[in-house]
Amino acid sequence: MRAAVRLLRDGPPRARVRTAWGRAVVRWCGPPGAADGAYAVEWTVDEDVTWGRNTRPAAVPAPGLWPEGDRVVLRGRLHADGDGTARLAWGPATVLLDVTGPLPDGADGQWVELRCPAARVALYPYDL
């Protein structure tokens, strides 16, 4: 997926990222001297899905990304893989996730919102 990236030069490596469905500030895992611009990126989330605590059904069935205090919200379609992992189909991207505890019946394929600390959401640029 492509995203517009503006690197923040103060503090830990972070980037202000803009996608077609929202924007947020997340951890930057690309080269420290990278220039601002459009990048092909991969997203990672270092936060387990825990239903009812950081993951819940979404009211809107569409991809989304926005800040919420010191957290980032990713809204997408959850696909449980049945082995303690899941995937969040998020626009043209897929984010791999670990799951803690059981998911409720019907969660597979449901639109959800995942709220996690912004520092646990990372952006990796790559070359096509």
Side-chain angles (χ1 to χ4, degrees), residues 51-128:
W51 195 265
R53 190 170 60 170
N54 66 357
T55 308
R56 65 178 188 206
V60 176
L65 170 69
W66 65 91
E68 195 171 83
D70 65 346
R71 298 186 171 275
V72 171
V73 182
L74 293 89
R75 184 175 55 219
R77 193 180 292 265
L78 185 69
H79 297 284
D81 293 332
D83 61 353
T85 64
R87 296 169 281 122
L88 186 70
W90 191 51
T94 299
V95 180
L96 302 177
L97 303 165
D98 290 320
V99 178
T100 299
L103 295 173
D105 291 339
D108 187 36
Q110 186 175 45
W111 285 95
V112 300
E113 291 178 358
L114 171 62
R115 286 172 169 73
C116 52
R120 304 202 79 179
V121 179
L123 196 63
Y124 291 84
Y126 65 89
D127 293 324
L128 293 175

Side-chain angles (χ1 to χ4, degrees), residues 14-72:
R14 295 174 303 140
R16 186 176 314 278
V17 60
R18 188 179 70 230
T19 70
W21 52 89
R23 58 183 69 201
V25 174
V26 298
R27 192 170 40 143
W28 174 251
C29 295
D36 297 345
Y39 285 88
V41 294
E42 180 177 313
W43 296 78
T44 64
V45 174
D46 297 327
E47 176 91 352
D48 290 356
V49 169
T50 305
W51 195 265
R53 190 170 60 170
N54 66 357
T55 308
R56 65 178 188 206
V60 176
L65 170 69
W66 65 91
E68 195 171 83
D70 65 346
R71 298 186 171 275
V72 171

